[in-house]
Amino acid sequence: MKLLKLSRRAMLAAGAATALALSPLAVQAQTPDDVLIVGQIAEPKALDPAAVTAVNDFRILMNVYDGLVRYKDGTLEVEPSLATSWDISEDGTVYTFALRDGVTFHDGSAFNADAVKFNFDRMLDENHPFHNTGPFPLSFFFSAVENVEVVDDMTVRFALNAPYAPFLSNLAYPTGLIVSPAAVEQHGAEFGRNPSGTGAFKFAEWRSNEAVVVEANPDHWDGAPELQAVVFRPITDANTRTAEMLAGGIDLMVEVPPVALGEFQGETYTVHEQAGPHVWFLILNAKEGPFADVRVRQAANYAINKEAIVNDVLEGTAEVAAGPTPPAFAWAYNESLEPYPYNPDKARELIAEAGAEGAELTFFVTEGGSGMLDPVAMGTAIQADLSAVGFDVKIETYEWNTFLGEVNPGLEGKADMAEMAWMTNDPDTLPFLALRSEAWPDKGGFNSGYYSNPKVDELLEAARAATDQAERARLYQEMQVIVQEDAPWVFVANWKQNAVTSDRVENFSLQPSFFLLLDDVVKN
């Protein structure tokens, strides 16, 4: 097959570039024409959109699959995709979608209303014959769905148990991408290694720890992509990824380390930046230990010099966070909030009031992870700041997937604090999944620090049911004030995502969703 020969040639070129990058006489390698080589931060977990949670995986998936709706280019506004239009009932509980006719999955099977119903029933119905191809960790994005009805071949209807404002936005998220039922039936639990969607690129090959290769879909309903193929290479070490980019072994590098941005000046490269809904924070164990006292949680927010982290560790690639909602959600963000100022004297005063002087803290730090920026350096700076106000801080460092296995089930009995970062699609997502009382880990959520405030719960429930955006904004803004005061987290940074492309790449731009959309990219 011509594509696979090309992709292997690309891999050989990239391998040669690695060797050249390590040579003092390095000469830039040349990757193949019309084949884009992307330097990813990690190996994907799977290529089943219903089964994964990481932006690293989403960057591939958004090119292989389509959803009923998608985010309009450069925005988080929803527009038609596999659905051409939709109607919403007056009470906000019934969504009826008209589907795009004549679309086929990459395996040749037809896209229709039955396929849509299959996708959501597979995630939500425990009795579905292919529910065992999960687990589906983000299926709660659609927990409001009571049933999915096939009205006719090209019309599908979702009935919700209550009005749910983020529903359309969640459909545009990768969890809502539509997979081929025929491929799931054929491959079962191995579908994640044998994906089939309707997207601009078709899956070609996955060589473990080496590359995922996708090829152009000439029959894509929205037009064939410009590229012949894309090779996604997992290069977990940021320094190695930088060296590969400088040597010409990759054409596009995501998540450029702040200290390496200066390497990509001049006409040979383009550095891309794009603000998006990102927040980097410390989860504090509010259930037990020193951080069970709100004064000690506030003290941690005063003790950490977030300006120094943003300017010195992150080289100005982020801004200091003021609360749990990223400012990229401009309509929902509370602009009256000011970040906790750096005030170690105030921190010591609060610690003394709480009788927590000299408290021992166990701090979970990750080696890396999508959106985690420079977690070891950041963790070390945070440790120093907390030590300066009298805490005895012990860091435990873990590889990303191991780290998540420790943090997501909850910090009880293990740690007092942990690093975390979220990139979300709606102002509902992060607080609803990580700050509600009903989101404690034993209830299936990500509230790993066990924060609980009934008023916050009430505001979040009301906001997701409100159909008027102004009312939703008021509720979220009130929530932010309470959460900032309660300080269940240390609010550290809002990142401005980045990537770098070679001078052979045109028509590339970053998206506020943090996804990579490559169908219009050209490589000369």
Side-chain angles (χ1 to χ4, degrees):
M1 182 177 179
K2 184 178 180 183
L3 168 74
L4 296 188
K5 289 179 181 175
L6 263 176
S7 65
R8 287 192 174 93
R9 180 157 62 98
M11 295 305 298
L12 288 171
T18 304
L20 286 169
L22 300 176
S23 166
L25 301 175
V27 178
Q28 192 173 63
Q30 189 84 339
T31 55
D33 296 338
D34 298 322
V35 177
L36 187 75
I37 314 295
V38 179
Q40 286 268 77
I41 66 165
E43 175 87 340
K45 180 180 178 181
L47 298 179
D48 179 350
V52 297
T53 63
V55 169
N56 182 67
D57 299 12
F58 296 164
R59 290 179 176 128
I60 302 174
L61 298 174
M62 294 301 292
N63 295 285
V64 176
Y65 300 93
D66 299 306
L68 294 178
V69 297
R70 65 187 180 189
Y71 297 126
K72 191 179 298 183
D73 185 38
T75 76
L76 291 172
E77 298 173 23
V78 170
E79 68 176 7
S81 184
L82 289 176
T84 56
S85 63
W86 54 88
D87 293 313
I88 307 172
S89 64
E90 286 189 13
D91 67 357
T93 63
V94 179
Y95 289 69
T96 304
F97 294 88
L99 304 181
R100 192 174 298 278
D101 202 5
V103 176
T104 58
F105 290 101
H106 300 149
D107 57 17
S109 60
F111 165 75
N112 53 30
D114 284 320
V116 176
K117 179 175 173 60
F118 178 99
N119 271 259
F120 289 91
D121 286 354
R122 177 173 78 116
M123 279 192 286
L124 301 172
D125 181 2
E126 293 182 358
N127 296 316
H128 189 271
F130 292 94
H131 185 73
N132 62 0
T133 56
F136 308 113
L138 297 183
S139 62
F140 47 69
F141 275 16
F142 305 109
S143 59
V145 175
E146 278 197 331
N147 65 73
V148 183
E149 175 191 355
V150 174
V151 178
D152 59 44
D153 203 38
M154 288 289 112
T155 311
V156 66
R157 180 174 295 143
F158 291 76
L160 311 186
N161 56 24
Y164 179 46
F167 181 59
L168 285 174
S169 181
N170 286 356
L171 286 175
Y173 204 66
T175 313
L177 294 171
I178 303 299
V179 310
S180 163
V184 174
E185 291 167 359
Q186 177 182 353
H187 297 288
E190 292 300 308
F191 172 74
R193 301 283 304 200
N194 300 274
S196 177
T198 62
F201 292 89
K202 301 187 290 185
F203 173 74
E205 185 179 16
W206 183 349
R207 300 190 294 277
S208 293
N209 299 310
E210 188 181 347
V212 171
V213 183
V214 297
E215 63 178 328
N217 174 12
D219 302 316
H220 189 233
W221 59 268
D222 202 22
E226 299 288 339
L227 295 164
Q228 182 183 348
V230 181
V231 180
F232 295 91
R233 291 186 52 206
I235 309 173
T236 56
D237 180 74
N239 292 327
T240 304
R241 207 159 61 248
T242 299
E244 288 265 15
M245 189 73 209
L246 290 168
I250 56 179
D251 307 302
L252 165 62
M253 172 184 175
V254 297
E255 301 198 28
V256 185
V259 295
L261 284 171
E263 301 268 7
F264 299 108
Q265 303 304 313
E267 296 181 358
T268 307
Y269 305 100
T270 301
V271 175
H272 307 263
E273 290 186 326
Q274 168 69 57
H278 168 278
V279 59
W280 197 106
F281 55 98
L282 299 178
I283 304 169
L284 304 180
N285 185 341
K287 188 176 186 180
E288 60 184 7
F291 293 129
D293 190 316
V294 65
R295 293 170 296 185
V296 185
R297 298 197 300 269
Q298 291 171 344
N301 275 276
Y302 284 117
I304 294 170
N305 190 342
K306 296 172 282 291
E307 290 278 359
I309 290 173
V310 164
N311 294 326
D312 300 338
V313 179
L314 301 180
E315 302 277 338
T317 59
E319 295 181 351
V320 173
T325 300
F329 292 128
W331 64 269
Y333 182 66
N334 191 331
E335 293 187 351
S336 70
L337 288 185
E338 293 289 338
Y340 275 85
Y342 175 53
N343 190 337
D345 290 335
K346 177 69 171 177
R348 292 186 190 96
E349 177 185 323
L350 288 167
I351 292 166
E353 283 181 17
E357 300 101 323
E360 296 181 357
L361 303 177
T362 299
F363 180 18
F364 283 178
V365 169
T366 179
E367 295 173 352
S370 197
M372 291 305 301
L373 310 183
D374 197 347
V376 174
M378 295 171 78
T380 302
I382 288 165
Q383 179 189 40
D385 285 343
L386 292 176
S387 298
V389 297
F391 290 120
D392 180 6
V393 184
K394 175 190 174 187
I395 285 180
E396 294 184 12
T397 306
Y398 298 92
E399 175 274 331
W400 176 237
N401 288 317
T402 305
F403 176 83
L404 293 178
E406 292 288 341
V407 174
N408 287 346
L411 299 183
E412 185 177 11
K414 295 183 290 187
D416 299 287
M417 53 194 291
E419 298 179 335
M420 188 51 66
W422 278 59
M423 294 171 277
T424 59
N425 64 312
D426 189 275
D428 168 80
T429 308
L430 175 55
F432 196 83
L433 297 180
L435 287 172
R436 278 185 316 130
S437 305
E438 290 298 309
W440 284 23
D442 62 350
K443 298 174 182 177
F446 294 89
N447 187 348
S448 299
Y450 316 100
Y451 171 64
S452 180
N453 184 314
K455 183 60 177 177
V456 169
D457 297 342
E458 176 188 323
L459 291 167
L460 290 173
E461 292 287 356
R464 66 174 8 208
T467 54
D468 178 69
Q469 189 176 85
E471 174 63 7
R472 287 187 78 201
R474 184 190 68 79
L475 294 164
Y476 288 130
Q477 288 164 8
E478 185 177 348
M479 175 273 296
Q480 291 164 56
V481 172
I482 298 170
V483 170
Q484 190 198 49
E485 176 72 16
D486 285 348
W489 304 336
V490 176
F491 313 104
V492 178
N494 301 121
W495 177 49
K496 197 180 293 181
Q497 63 170 317
N498 60 41
V500 62
T501 53
S502 77
D503 58 1
R504 301 180 66 198
V505 177
E506 299 177 4
N507 293 353
F508 172 77
S509 60
L510 287 169
Q511 300 293 323
S513 62
F514 295 93
F515 308 146
L516 286 184
L517 303 181
L518 303 175
D519 49 320
D520 291 330
V521 170
V522 174
K523 181 180 167 188
N524 296 316

